[in-house]
Amino acid sequence: MRTALTRLSLTDFRSYATAELALDGRPVWLAGPNGAGKTNLLEAVSFLIPGRGLRGSSIAEVGRRLPGEAQGRAWAAAATLLSGDDEIRLGTGVEQGGASRRVVRVDGEPVPPGRLAEHVRQVWLTPAQDRLFLEGAGDRRRFLDRLVFAAEPGHAAHVQAYEKAMRERMRLLTEGPADAAWLDALEARLAESGALMAEARARTVAVLAAEIATRGERPFPQAKLTLTGEWAQMAADGAELADIEGKLAGALRAARDRDAAAGRALTGPHRGDLSVVHAEKDRPAAECSTGEQKALILNLVLAQAARLARIAAAPSPILLLDEVAAHLDRTRRAALFDEIEALGLQAFLTGTDEHLFEALEGRAQGFRMDAQGFAAAG
């Protein structure tokens, strides 16, 4: 089901006191100098799904703050979403004078933040992800979990349950009392959520690998994807969920003394990694050039968007691509725009130079931005 934003309204969000953007459902490009608020606008869109947005910020961080103000103001981001033939009003933010918690409304009715995933799915790529293949495994796991979550919203709850149980187990092991029955219960919870995590990650990687393999000759390099770690490998090899759960619970029980001494859990799906290899060169992504790494991750993001767009019963994804066009040569930039159009998706793209988006003329809405605001281009 195709979804697209037709209106975006901001109040006291980051650099915006107020902002109103009228959209027609086509791709959108935003051009302007650094500091003009382009990424802030994309971040506001990213808060229309559950989670902490494309910057990973807390709700307290995104409220507008004037010089000398120690705390951000209450803020709001509201949008009208065209979903098939239906219009849906979405809103989120922190209310004035209320507790510092996120409020979400759908068509005016308060709902839990997780309900946003029923209406909007997003895939994004930001400059912070440029070093994805060079940073630690934790960054790649979080990147993979966002890909999983976009197709399987329940995955976030499994990750949260796993991390909560892991923290409680480590507190018992390091601070005591290390009650065996209590540890058994926590490890059972860890094993249950960990097995579900491993299975969902393996399923996502398999689907994405197949999607990439069918993409054929494109200007973007193909990637070979695999998961490392015992539990991911079990899941990838088709082990039954109960078998993964049982083996993980046993491994956690056997590792209590070792984990207590180390001060951290040394076994479990939180130790795995996403391995990405440049298929044509048969080289790990970390050993490829900066340009090749950017192209590899972009192709991965496009594969994710393509596979989500084919899920007929679910909302099609909205793409957020921050400063991506500037890092592509003319051929790859045109290929990116063509791909977005062929997928029929709404995308938001930013860049410092509007000439980067010349190939989108007539196919997208453009806005010129500066510190004073924005104006429609053309």
Side-chain angles (χ1 to χ4, degrees):
M1 182 193 315
R2 188 180 192 275
T3 57
L5 300 182
T6 57
R7 181 186 69 90
L8 179 67
S9 176
L10 307 180
T11 303
D12 283 326
F13 187 93
R14 293 286 191 188
S15 56
Y16 293 97
T18 60
E20 186 85 20
L21 204 61
L23 306 168
D24 61 14
R26 290 183 297 166
V28 178
W29 59 260
L30 309 167
N34 293 330
K38 304 184 299 295
T39 303
N40 291 345
L41 196 147
L42 261 62
E43 184 181 24
V45 175
S46 74
F47 269 99
L48 297 175
I49 64 171
R52 295 165 64 95
L54 59 76
R55 281 187 173 120
S57 302
S58 69
I59 58 171
E61 292 178 85
V62 300
R64 189 169 68 99
R65 188 166 53 213
L66 295 178
E69 290 184 335
Q71 192 170 4
R73 302 183 178 195
W75 60 272
T80 301
L81 180 76
L82 186 63
S83 180
D85 295 327
D86 299 324
E87 275 195 348
I88 302 170
R89 291 177 294 117
L90 305 175
T92 187
V94 176
E95 293 184 332
Q96 189 71 41
S100 295
R101 64 181 183 86
R102 185 176 179 183
V103 176
V104 171
R105 288 189 171 84
V106 175
D107 286 333
E109 297 295 323
V111 299
R115 292 284 301 277
L116 288 170
E118 299 174 9
H119 306 287
V120 185
R121 300 190 183 204
Q122 295 181 11
V123 182
W124 61 66
L125 187 56
T126 70
Q129 294 168 325
D130 286 351
R131 293 182 56 83
L132 182 70
F133 304 125
L134 304 177
E135 300 292 353
D139 291 319
R140 286 183 293 278
R141 283 193 301 271
R142 285 186 287 273
F143 174 77
L144 174 58
D145 282 336
R146 283 195 297 272
L147 299 181
V148 178
F149 172 76
E152 304 181 39
H155 179 68
H158 300 149
V159 173
Q160 291 167 3
Y162 181 89
E163 292 177 347
K164 182 175 184 293
M166 183 168 60
R167 289 193 300 269
E168 293 177 1
R169 174 179 178 268
M170 288 310 306
R171 190 177 302 118
L172 284 182
L173 290 175
T174 56
E175 300 175 13
D179 180 78
W182 197 351
L183 285 167
D184 284 344
L186 286 172
E187 286 162 0
R189 282 160 46 190
L190 266 170
E192 179 183 14
S193 54
L196 289 167
M197 283 167 52
E199 191 177 62
R201 287 171 176 172
R203 185 164 50 244
T204 295
V205 167
V207 171
L208 283 175
E211 180 70 40
I212 290 172
T214 64
R215 290 171 63 76
E217 292 300 322
R218 281 175 166 83
F220 304 105
Q222 291 191 332
K224 293 192 292 187
L225 308 177
T226 55
L227 288 170
T228 67
E230 179 180 3
W231 315 107
Q233 194 57 56
M234 283 186 69
D237 290 342
E240 294 290 336
L241 189 65
D243 293 337
I244 301 173
E245 185 177 336
K247 188 171 182 180
L248 179 54
L252 289 166
R253 190 179 306 111
R256 288 174 186 175
D257 290 343
R258 185 184 63 172
D259 289 354
R264 63 186 187 279
L266 296 175
T267 187
H270 67 284
R271 303 281 295 177
D273 197 357
L274 173 66
S275 172
V276 180
V277 172
H278 190 301
E280 183 180 355
K281 295 188 174 181
D282 196 27
R283 294 182 64 188
E287 297 178 7
C288 293
S289 71
T290 301
E292 287 171 332
Q293 290 179 17
K294 293 177 187 295
L296 279 167
I297 193 171
L298 180 55
N299 200 23
L300 180 54
V301 165
L302 290 172
Q304 167 77 340
R307 70 120 172 179
L308 292 177
R310 286 201 301 273
I311 304 175
S316 64
I318 294 173
L319 280 171
L320 306 179
L321 303 176
D322 192 18
E323 300 291 347
V324 169
H327 301 300
L328 302 175
D329 58 35
R330 182 183 294 272
T331 299
R332 284 179 173 165
R333 197 158 57 238
L336 169 62
F337 300 155
D338 289 345
E339 184 112 6
I340 291 170
E341 184 177 40
L343 290 172
L345 303 179
Q346 187 178 47
F348 290 76
L349 305 99
T350 68
T352 56
D353 188 343
E354 65 182 89
H355 295 300
L356 293 169
F357 307 108
E358 287 177 342
L360 277 173
E361 185 175 358
R363 300 190 286 172
Q365 282 184 280
F367 295 89
R368 299 186 183 96
M369 305 182 67
D370 57 31
Q372 278 65 54
F374 47 81

